[in-house]
Amino acid sequence: MKKTVSLLMAVMLTIVITGVLSACSAQTAEAPADAGTTPSGSLLQNPSDDSGRPRYENTKTLVVYFSVPDNRDNSYVEVNGERLGNTQYMAYVIQENTGANIFRILPKTPYPTDHNELLQAAQEEIRQNARPEIEGTIEHFDSYDTVFVGYPNWNADMPYILYTFFDTYDFSGKTIVPFNAHGGSGFSGTQETIARLEPDAALLEGKSISRNSIEGAEQEIIDWLDSIGMLNTAK
């Protein structure tokens, strides 16, 4: 049976379209109406809370995610009648609770939605060390201080379109926050891969959630955001 969650995703209905993408792109980047324009820099010098943890909620933040729900029930959740991929669901919860802008990585050549065909496509990318093309670009990427990056675990690695993403944008001086959905293998070393790909960026503690427990994970995600100083308590 399809999974149904009760999360009230008001942000999905109140998103304001911003000019994050180029005009020729088929994608749009979404921002809440009160999204800030905090200048970049000084991430680690933000005020701390009473526990001494650095707070990042006043930085300009972007959520980037890749999600391809297939025809297996545990690859997606349903919110208000809309089917969301597991990583997409995590991205929406993060966006709602941080006030970040959001960008979905879409391939120029769509992936199949049949599970077995998708698995074969992913394995073929590994054999070819592929760099699938991404539809659209993120304008003014340099203006973001913190970038959440979300992806499913494919064959104990990031999907290879994520390598395209990291090849495309300069993360120097930024803070990267990974998150992913998995079928039992967690991050599988992908946090270390990101650190190797982006040696001039800082990484905050990521969040990995099993696809079998994603539907009840809203509070777990919020608690994680709070623990890393990214929860927008003013929302």
Side-chain angles (χ1 to χ4, degrees), residues 12-228:
M12 295 169 57
L13 301 178
T14 58
I15 289 171
V16 177
I17 304 301
T18 68
V20 177
L21 296 183
S22 59
C24 63
S25 170
Q27 290 187 211
T28 56
E30 305 150 323
D34 60 349
T37 56
T38 307
S40 59
S42 302
L43 281 179
L44 299 181
Q45 283 72 48
N46 283 328
S48 299
D49 64 12
D50 292 340
S51 69
R53 296 176 302 185
R55 306 302 300 185
Y56 293 83
E57 68 267 31
N58 293 323
T59 65
K60 191 171 182 183
T61 306
L62 176 67
V63 178
V64 178
Y65 72 96
F66 171 73
S67 185
V68 181
D70 58 34
N71 59 354
R72 294 243 179 136
D73 286 351
N74 62 4
S75 78
Y76 63 89
V77 297
E78 287 189 354
V79 177
N80 297 331
E82 181 180 0
R83 180 179 293 190
L84 304 176
N86 293 334
T87 309
Q88 183 179 23
Y89 172 76
M90 293 180 70
Y92 281 178
V93 175
I94 293 167
Q95 194 262 348
E96 181 183 14
N97 289 279
T98 61
N101 289 355
I102 192 164
F103 177 84
R104 181 175 184 175
I105 295 175
L106 290 174
K108 284 192 174 181
T109 302
Y111 287 94
T113 56
D114 176 79
H115 178 79
N116 292 330
E117 292 178 8
L118 181 60
L119 179 62
Q120 292 173 7
Q123 292 172 343
E124 183 61 25
E125 287 183 354
I126 294 173
R127 286 189 287 269
Q128 295 181 3
N129 192 27
R131 294 295 184 270
E133 289 187 82
I134 295 173
E135 182 72 36
T137 59
I138 304 171
E139 288 188 350
H140 311 300
F141 183 78
D142 289 346
S143 69
Y144 291 100
D145 306 305
T146 304
V147 183
F148 287 83
V149 181
Y151 49 90
N153 184 322
W154 281 7
N155 300 296
D157 200 350
M158 297 185 294
Y160 270 50
I161 199 167
L162 268 295
Y163 287 89
T164 305
F165 173 66
F166 284 113
D167 286 348
T168 301
Y169 295 97
D170 182 8
F171 284 81
S172 299
K174 299 186 185 302
T175 297
I176 301 171
V177 192
F179 63 96
N180 89 336
H182 65 89
S185 300
F187 275 117
S188 294
T190 54
Q191 292 187 105
E192 291 78 7
T193 299
I194 293 171
R196 176 176 55 80
L197 293 173
E198 303 297 342
D200 297 320
L203 262 71
L204 289 185
E205 178 187 357
K207 185 64 178 176
S208 183
I209 299 179
S210 169
R211 64 192 181 195
N212 295 320
S213 59
I214 199 78
E215 68 175 296
E218 179 189 3
Q219 190 59 49
E220 181 180 350
I221 297 169
I222 292 172
D223 291 344
W224 162 64
L225 292 172
D226 188 36
S227 74
I228 62 173

